[in-house]
Amino acid sequence: MDFNLMIEIAPLLVQAAWVTVDISARALFFGFFIASALVVLRTSRIRPVRWLSRAYISVVRGTPYFVQLLLIFYGGPAIGLRLDPFTCGVVVGAFNIGAYMSEAIRGAIESVDSGQNEASRSLGFGRLTTLQYIILPQAAGLMIRSVGVLAIILVKNSSLVSIISVVELTYQAQRLIGSTYKPLEVFTLSALMYIVIIYAVMGIVEFLYRRATRYTFL
Amino acid sequence: MTQTTETPMVELKGVKKRFGDLEVLKGIDLRVDRGRIISIIGPSGSGKSTLLRSVNNLEVIDEGQILLDGVQVNRPDLKGLAFEKHINHIRQNMGMVFQHFNLFPHLSTLENVTLAPRKLKGVSTSIARELGMELLERVGLADKAQVYPSALSGGQKQRVAIARALAMQPKVMLFDEATSALDPELVEEVNRVMKGLAEEHMTMLIVTHEMAFARDVSDWAMFMDGGVVVEANTPEHLFSHPDQERTQHFLRKHLGTQG
């Protein structure tokens, strides 16, 4: 192992790692809104809306992320959808993770005991206020860990946007190998950086989980 | 029960309810006057819980009328948001206590009690807090105000649930087997709170398996079986010399095991 080389290229990889974090964080942020919208649309009174949102989730879950990325980036311009690589990575990441996250959120909401809903309604709370004050605060604790797992998948999947030449961690690593011919050193270092990012995500998730469920520990 | 000309607090007229092909309420009539306490007893599956839940529309009845203080609760003519608004308003006047307490686990004991008055009646935090502490005092749990439900015993949880229902200053309290899920030694503390309410002339509808308690606390007792009211009378009469064979049979079985 050429440790000197690793120290030398570290700053370049750290810079690229930041792009990985940036693209993943944005995708997660927008993905959360997409997921929330899907949860609402799936319970819509209008049948085609329900049907469309379910179809969307099925398509996203039934196709590889890699293919979705290629389709939007290379196929998009044919229908007037021209996105720069970074934006494309965020958009596809958000729509992809949003579909999975909507299932996680729905599952969490459904697993809150039905007695909670009844107790709240019997006090005079409406459907929405029950969701706001009673169901969601409890569902939050139940969904945080599964959303955390999705966030980790998102970070790992972000390596695939290298194919549309976003200069994130994996793309940068490949570039450095082109100039140094040291794949072992470069990939080891980039793998370590993924580990750091993912452990940071896990730490944040655990912190949020404890906060959201602290009432069960007190 | 003596009929008065006063508007009854709760009134049921020909209430019918089906679950699929199964008719669980086959035309129930009931009148609860202000300050009265009615106990409903009967075997499981008799429809007594469904009846109670129908009163605040947790179960939607198929036929008949339910009135709270002269206002119709079920309104087949109202749809969607209009009905939602109507029923939310009606429910604020009815307190309901459940078998499994259904306390909000993410809120402290005090917050459980104050949430509804704060959010639904716009009571200020400080006044809600005062009211909440008063109610917790009344159920003997003022010292548990800051504790979360997970740290309470079953009996304590149920007392908080009663305080939570009382916080909206309801006109009537509905108890759906409030002590059935409790260990025997915890039943008494909940019964004591309910007796306290009885002494203050709260109108109450109580579905229960506690025959001794029903006899002791209520003004009127109803025996239900198979979706109908088999017999209704003063508790002395109903529990001591029931007229109907089915009531006798049920009570023999129950009093035999419960004393």
Side-chain angles (χ1 to χ4, degrees), chain B residues 13-50:
Chain B
K13 297 178 185 170
V15 168
K16 290 187 180 181
K17 167 74 185 170
R18 273 180 301 274
F19 289 120
D21 291 334
L22 184 72
E23 194 169 31
V24 286
L25 298 177
K26 299 175 180 167
I28 306 280
D29 296 297
L30 171 66
R31 179 191 165 99
V32 187
D33 282 323
R34 219 163 288 262
R36 291 299 176 134
I37 296 152
I38 315 277
S39 289
I40 307 171
I41 59 166
S44 22
S46 59
K48 57 190 193 305
S49 273
T50 307

Side-chain angles (χ1 to χ4, degrees), chain A residues 8 22 24-25 35 52 64 71 78 88-89 96 108 132 136 159 177 184 192:
Chain A
E8 205 178 308
D22 192 9
S24 305
L52 274 174
L71 177 72
C88 184
N96 177 280
Q132 179 185 357
L136 285 181
S159 64
I177 289 158
L184 180 66
L192 281 173

Side-chain angles (χ1 to χ4, degrees), chain B residues 70-175:
Chain B
V71 180
Q72 191 171 340
V73 176
N74 67 313
R75 289 283 299 274
D77 56 315
L78 292 180
K79 300 270 177 267
L81 279 178
F83 180 74
E84 171 104 3
K85 219 174 140 191
H86 160 77
I87 197 66
N88 290 344
H89 184 73
I90 291 268
R91 281 172 174 156
Q92 292 184 23
N93 295 309
M94 286 196 248
M96 176 119 182
V97 176
F98 300 88
Q99 183 178 358
H100 296 289
F101 332 125
N102 299 347
L103 286 184
F104 306 133
H106 60 300
L107 301 177
S108 72
T109 301
L110 182 64
E111 288 165 334
N112 261 277
V113 178
T114 57
L115 184 74
R118 281 196 297 126
K119 302 298 179 188
L120 295 173
K121 284 188 169 170
V123 175
S124 73
T125 312
S126 60
I127 291 176
R129 196 190 155 77
E130 242 170 74
L131 167 82
M133 286 309 295
E134 219 170 89
L135 286 165
L136 287 176
E137 191 82 52
R138 186 157 152 198
V139 299
L141 289 169
D143 57 324
K144 302 281 186 195
Q146 302 309 327
V147 160
Y148 283 84
S150 58
L152 298 176
S153 74
Q156 291 172 330
K157 280 182 189 163
Q158 197 59 298
R159 286 188 280 153
V160 174
I162 294 172
R164 176 178 69 178
L166 289 173
M168 290 300 282
Q169 294 164 318
K171 293 178 175 176
V172 55
M173 286 286 284
L174 311 172
F175 291 88

Side-chain angles (χ1 to χ4, degrees), chain A residues 68-148:
Chain A
Q68 294 163 15
L69 203 58
L70 294 175
L71 177 72
I72 300 301
F73 190 70
Y74 293 110
I79 52 163
L81 187 68
R82 252 169 256 279
L83 299 170
D84 66 81
F86 184 85
T87 309
C88 184
V90 171
V91 168
V92 176
F95 276 95
N96 177 280
I97 214 70
Y100 288 95
M101 218 191 297
S102 75
E103 294 291 279
I105 294 173
R106 196 173 62 98
I109 288 173
E110 281 174 2
S111 55
V112 173
D113 181 52
S114 64
Q116 293 292 308
N117 184 52
E118 289 195 345
S120 172
R121 298 307 300 275
S122 78
L123 287 167
F125 283 102
R127 240 178 263 276
L128 281 178
T129 41
T130 294
L131 201 63
Q132 179 185 357
Y133 297 119
I134 307 301
I135 308 296
L136 285 181
Q138 294 180 58
L142 298 168
M143 74 177 77
I144 282 170
R145 279 186 168 157
S146 37
V147 169

